[in-house]
Amino acid sequence: MTELRAPRCPAAPNVLVVLVDDMGFGASSAFGGPIDMPTAERLAAGGLRFNRFHTTALCSPTRASLLTGRNPHAVGFGTVTNFVSSDPGYNCIRPDSAATVATILKDNGYNTAAFGKWHQTPGGETGPAGPFDRWPTGEGFERFYGFLGGSTDQYHPALYDGVTPIDCPSTPEEGYHLSEDLADRVIDWMTCQQSVAPGKPFFAYLALGATHSPLQVPKQWRDKYSGLFAHGWNRQRDITLARQKELGVVPEDGEMTAWLDLVPEWDTLSEEDRRAAELLMELYAGFAEHTDAQVGRVVDALERLELLDDTLIFYILGDNGASAEGGVQGTANEGILFNGLRDSSVRIVELADELGSPTTAPQYPFGWALAMDTPYQWVKQVASHYGGTRNPLIVHWPDGVAAKGGIRPQWHFVSDIAPTILEAAGIPAPEVVGGVEQQPLDGVSMLYSFDDAVANDRRTTQYFEVFGNRGIYHEGWVACTAHRVPMQAASADMPFEDDVWELYDTNVDWTEARDMAEELPGKLAELQRLFELEAVGNQVLLDNGRMQRMREGVPARDPARVVTYPGTMPPLLPDAAVKVLNRSHTITVQVTLDAAGSSGALVAQGARADGGWSLHLHEGRLAYCHNVADLHSWHVRSDAVLAAGTHAIRLESIYDGGGMGKGAVLRLFVDGEPVGHGRIENSTAFYIGGTGLLTIGRSHGVPVTTEYTRDSRISGTVHSVRFELAIEGSPAGDVDLARVALATQ
């Protein structure tokens, strides 16, 4: 069988896919929400709004489906890359039989580039040894600038240029923000590409890390929304639904779905809780508008380059529904929740001036997530219901779409984006790529609907599954069950056969407001059987133990007891770095100091905003700091000042054991002599913030201790860092598995 390389259609458009994180159906003003997003409104006015478009309800699966045109489990992405397993549907290894749309476009004469969030590379492959096949540059993109994980600090991101980790081009004090940087890079790439090859089509994939937590944006953006959410989340739902009906994105007979009992209604909250919740929602709204403004800069650049009319733009407002990872109360620092600890509204209000700054890592409460998903039930992770899966899509292509400002009600799934791009470019889906026969596309092109608002749906069936939450759509009917809510850990005592299924006829019940399971048990059984068939065909495997095994296996994933890094080791993401949490260990650093009295990090992991640890010098004195989610900061210090020259510095940490996040006895040595000792009463259980980078000779971003300046480069040379690890890791402890799950998305 020969590879298919169709000649490029002369009218092949440029393609820009913009993907915003964690935004529900009812957030943007373009779909009736309270957040001003003028770019989304502008593109919708000149293009189309799809009001029955769906994602997977989770980050990595949505991206894999978007880029391949296949169902997520069929390409190994039934979960996020942080929860990889050997199960074929959950190994997060895209098979060669499912080439990305970037690869196909590149093979057919397009230039390709990806910017921003990737979250498609298994964590263990993010180190300097790769392999790099599953990095963006191995997946069809000629250029990559962004970050690999599920989230990153907006002021101090873990950036990569291609496969090389790099420093931020500037500091927050100099005005740096990741979303602005990404927009700059896209604009520069498009400008240079067209300058060198005018008329050559390009595919740009801009996956902004916003508006995923941490919610970080300059204060003036948050302040714009001051006082605008005092009416609370219940009232906001009513306001949003009325606006959605005015816009026509929800029909007049669309009903508001019932409020979840597990989330308190606004009027039952204390004054302090309401104030904290308002501040966090104001921050999210400002963050989202700021994100839209950066997309607007890219659109303006296309117009200046006279490319806007011939660029097919997909503006996807959310890779899943709004996120409930802030818990019922919200937090000023997501690391608190992810490590099984508790924040308080009092603390959030006390930190009001800092919310959104480099020193905080906030997330809003569950109630606002429900409001942002108006009028649907549930939130991110809950793949069973439209609150988790229905996201706004705006398509803009003046040269290819005659209609302006139209609404398209055809039912579509994220895997339909790739086939649409290929059809618009005049490129048939290839049968062979790189010598490998390709599995059929699961997606269907949406192009048929662009100029036909009443065209019959061509996507009639789609299954959903995330963490056991599952559903099936078929010809307007939906059968679904919420196995595990986002703030609840799955366990063996939650058998799947006990799950309660619901049934909705969305042909007449647009919002899934009326459960018909008891009225039509035969129809429910029919759809359940269909789900089972789809599940088998797409490698879906229901497993309550997936997250539990992942947590218990964290320390055990270090096959060696001794790990030595050179002083030149680049920053390492958590899954590629040695793991010292929840186990006894020693760290030995060989260093040459240029002068006595210097300050700086010898080896560190994390950041002050939401935790980490650092072995460092402060005015020449050896010190260790362990910051637990910025709630508890433990220090062990030496009084002796180190002289210039070469030294062997050693930390011994003797872990208490008995679970995760427990205390430890610490001892400090210089050249074999004890110089300090102490104790930490608790430690980081799981989640190290600030993207969790392990760095040598400096700390990444805002330091985990205020004892030295930002960036904290050591005045001297670190020659090596040696880790000696206890054979056994900690047994599973007291950390809420739900927090662990949320930390990775």
Side-chain angles (χ1 to χ4, degrees):
M1 188 175 291
T2 59
E3 296 195 28
L4 178 61
R5 273 182 167 78
R8 184 179 67 83
C9 173
N14 304 304
V15 179
L16 171 64
V17 174
V18 179
L19 180 60
V20 177
D21 240 293
D22 287 9
M23 181 167 285
F25 186 86
S28 165
S29 57
F31 278 74
I35 301 170
D36 288 336
M37 298 186 74
T39 302
E41 292 184 38
R42 171 189 176 186
L43 294 176
L48 303 172
R49 279 175 291 187
F50 283 79
N51 61 349
R52 294 172 75 210
F53 177 80
H54 302 82
T55 59
T56 69
L58 195 61
C59 165
S60 296
T62 289
R63 292 158 201 272
S65 191
L66 186 157
L67 290 170
T68 65
R70 278 91 175 181
N71 287 326
H73 299 75
V75 293
F77 277 86
T79 186
V80 287
T81 59
N82 316 76
F83 288 121
V84 296
S85 71
S86 59
D87 303 322
Y90 302 83
N91 59 20
C92 292
I93 297 176
R94 180 191 58 80
D96 292 338
S97 59
T100 68
V101 67
T103 296
I104 299 169
L105 292 175
K106 178 171 66 70
D107 287 349
N108 284 272
Y110 274 71
N111 283 134
T112 59
F115 302 89
K117 175 174 173 176
W118 183 241
H119 212 194
Q120 298 288 286
T121 306
E125 298 183 5
T126 59
F132 300 106
D133 310 60
R134 285 173 282 278
W135 290 52
T137 51
E139 298 271 26
F141 290 103
E142 299 164 312
R143 173 89 166 89
F144 172 62
Y145 181 91
F147 61 99
L148 294 175
S151 64
T152 197
D153 190 290
Q154 293 288 313
Y155 297 107
H156 302 288
L159 284 174
Y160 292 82
D161 190 341
V163 298
T164 304
I166 60 171
D167 292 332
C168 284
S170 60
T171 68
E173 292 79 12
E174 296 167 330
Y176 182 84
H177 190 280
L178 176 60
S179 297
E180 298 174 13
D181 186 14
L182 294 175
D184 288 342
R185 302 289 170 157
V186 176
I187 293 168
D188 182 62
W189 180 79
M190 294 189 307
T191 303
C192 292
Q193 186 266 352
Q194 285 293 297
S195 175
V196 173
K200 183 176 182 179
F202 62 76
F203 171 42
Y205 173 56
L206 174 57
L208 293 141
T211 51
H212 194 292
S213 63
L215 308 182
Q216 294 172 320
V217 74
K219 189 172 183 293
Q220 64 267 26
W221 291 88
R222 187 193 91 187
D223 287 350
K224 173 186 173 179
Y225 289 89
S226 179
L228 297 186
F229 296 103
H231 51 263
W233 44 60
N234 297 97
R235 176 61 183 145
Q236 183 60 58
R237 292 215 304 163
D238 294 333
I239 295 170
T240 297
L241 181 56
R243 289 175 179 168
Q244 289 170 333
K245 291 181 178 182
E246 289 174 8
L247 289 172
V249 295
V250 172
E252 281 295 330
D253 61 355
E255 298 179 41
M256 181 69 77
T257 54
W259 185 255
L260 285 180
D261 290 340
L262 58 88
V263 180
E265 297 200 23
W266 184 260
D267 290 343
T268 68
L269 299 179
S270 69
E271 183 177 347
E272 200 79 22
D273 286 345
R274 287 197 298 270
R275 180 59 185 146
E278 280 185 62
L279 288 168
L280 293 170
M281 183 57 208
E282 292 166 7
L283 177 60
Y284 176 80
F287 192 19
E289 183 175 347
H290 175 266
T291 303
D292 183 75
Q294 309 321 308
V295 178
R297 292 175 52 225
V298 176
V299 173
D300 289 342
L302 285 170
E303 191 166 40
R304 286 196 303 272
L305 293 168
E306 298 183 351
L307 298 173
L308 184 58
D309 287 352
D310 193 30
T311 299
L312 172 56
I313 299 175
F314 297 88
Y315 193 2
I316 308 171
L317 299 177
D319 55 355
N320 40 242
S323 172
E325 62 195 27
V328 172
Q329 192 170 48
T331 181
N333 176 358
E334 60 184 356
I336 295 171
L337 304 183
F338 297 160
N339 283 299
L341 304 172
R342 290 183 177 275
D343 208 342
S344 70
S345 294
V346 171
R347 181 175 178 274
I348 294 167
V349 173
E350 288 175 350
L351 291 171
D353 288 342
E354 293 185 56
L355 293 177
S357 77
T359 62
T360 61
Q363 179 59 297
Y364 65 11
F366 203 141
W368 286 123
L370 292 174
M372 294 304 99
D373 286 334
T374 301
Y376 304 110
Q377 299 181 64
W378 288 107
V379 291
K380 172 183 177 180
Q381 291 193 48
V382 187
S384 52
H385 291 73
Y386 282 163
T389 64
R390 181 162 284 180
N391 287 93
L393 167 65
I394 297 168
V395 174
H396 185 272
W397 185 23
D399 282 358
V401 180
K404 311 298 181 194
I407 294 174
R408 293 295 178 267
Q410 287 83 6
W411 201 103
H412 280 286
F413 185 63
V414 66
S415 63
D416 300 336
I417 296 291
T420 308
I421 293 172
L422 294 180
E423 184 178 0
I427 302 172
E431 298 176 6
V432 176
V433 175
V436 178
E437 186 174 350
Q438 297 295 288
Q439 60 196 70
L441 295 179
D442 296 309
V444 300
S445 173
M446 307 163 66
L447 208 64
Y448 72 96
S449 67
F450 283 9
D451 284 320
D452 189 351
V454 296
N456 292 330
D457 291 0
R458 295 188 184 178
R459 163 71 79 158
T460 58
T461 304
Q462 180 61 44
Y463 79 92
F464 297 88
E465 189 273 330
V466 167
F467 297 140
N469 298 322
R470 52 209 191 275
I472 183 76
Y473 169 85
H474 181 63
E475 296 179 349
W477 289 87
V478 174
C480 57
T481 182
H483 175 70
R484 184 190 65 81
V485 304
M487 308 312 294
Q488 175 192 54
S491 62
D493 60 359
M494 295 173 58
F496 291 100
E497 54 268 25
D498 289 351
D499 290 344
V500 177
W501 283 75
E502 301 164 21
L503 177 68
Y504 299 98
D505 181 2
T506 64
N507 296 299
V508 295
D509 175 19
W510 183 276
T511 62
E512 299 180 330
R514 302 189 297 275
D515 179 10
M516 303 180 69
E518 292 187 5
E519 298 173 48
L520 299 171
K523 186 65 176 181
L524 176 60
E526 174 190 331
L527 290 174
Q528 286 174 306
R529 287 194 296 272
L530 180 57
F531 173 84
E532 292 171 359
L533 291 172
E534 291 289 310
V536 170
N538 285 281
Q539 306 182 132
V540 175
L541 177 64
L542 301 180
D543 182 1
N544 277 324
R546 194 177 308 281
M547 284 187 291
Q548 182 74 25
R549 288 197 306 275
M550 182 269 185
R551 183 183 72 168
E552 293 175 347
V554 168
R557 285 188 292 177
D558 281 321
R561 288 189 59 200
V562 178
V563 177
T564 302
Y565 293 141
T568 56
M569 177 65 71
L572 298 174
L573 288 167
D575 283 345
V578 64
K579 295 167 181 64
V580 300
L581 301 181
N582 306 307
R583 68 197 311 183
S584 297
H585 60 275
T586 65
I587 303 175
T588 303
V589 181
Q590 300 291 336
V591 61
T592 298
L593 302 177
D594 292 341
S598 63
S599 298
L602 299 166
V603 57
Q605 189 174 29
R608 181 190 154 194
D610 47 11
W613 57 268
S614 172
L615 182 61
H616 62 278
L617 296 177
H618 175 58
E619 298 178 351
R621 296 173 174 83
L622 182 61
Y624 174 85
C625 172
H626 195 111
N627 181 322
V628 184
D630 208 30
L631 281 181
H632 311 287
S633 188
W634 307 100
H635 298 267
V636 179
R637 303 179 176 90
S638 165
D639 292 329
V641 176
L642 274 68
T646 300
H647 298 280
I649 292 171
R650 180 179 175 88
L651 163 77
E652 292 183 355
S653 175
I654 305 168
Y655 188 65
D656 290 349
M660 301 175 77
K662 305 302 181 181
V665 173
L666 302 177
R667 299 187 182 121
L668 300 175
F669 299 83
V670 175
D671 300 326
E673 297 296 322
V675 296
H677 67 276
R679 175 173 174 78
I680 61 175
E681 295 301 329
N682 66 327
S683 61
T684 303
F686 177 82
Y687 178 78
I688 293 181
T691 72
L693 284 181
L694 187 143
T695 52
I696 294 173
R698 60 171 176 157
S699 68
H700 175 75
V702 181
V704 296
T705 169
T706 57
E707 290 181 336
Y708 50 83
T709 59
R710 194 192 71 79
D711 203 30
S712 58
R713 294 181 183 273
I714 195 73
S715 178
T717 302
V718 175
H719 303 291
S720 66
V721 180
R722 175 185 172 94
F723 296 85
E724 298 174 67
L725 310 168
I727 297 176
E728 72 283 352
S730 165
D734 304 323
V735 178
D736 184 347
L737 277 173
R739 311 295 187 192
V740 174
L742 291 167
T744 65
Q745 296 156 32

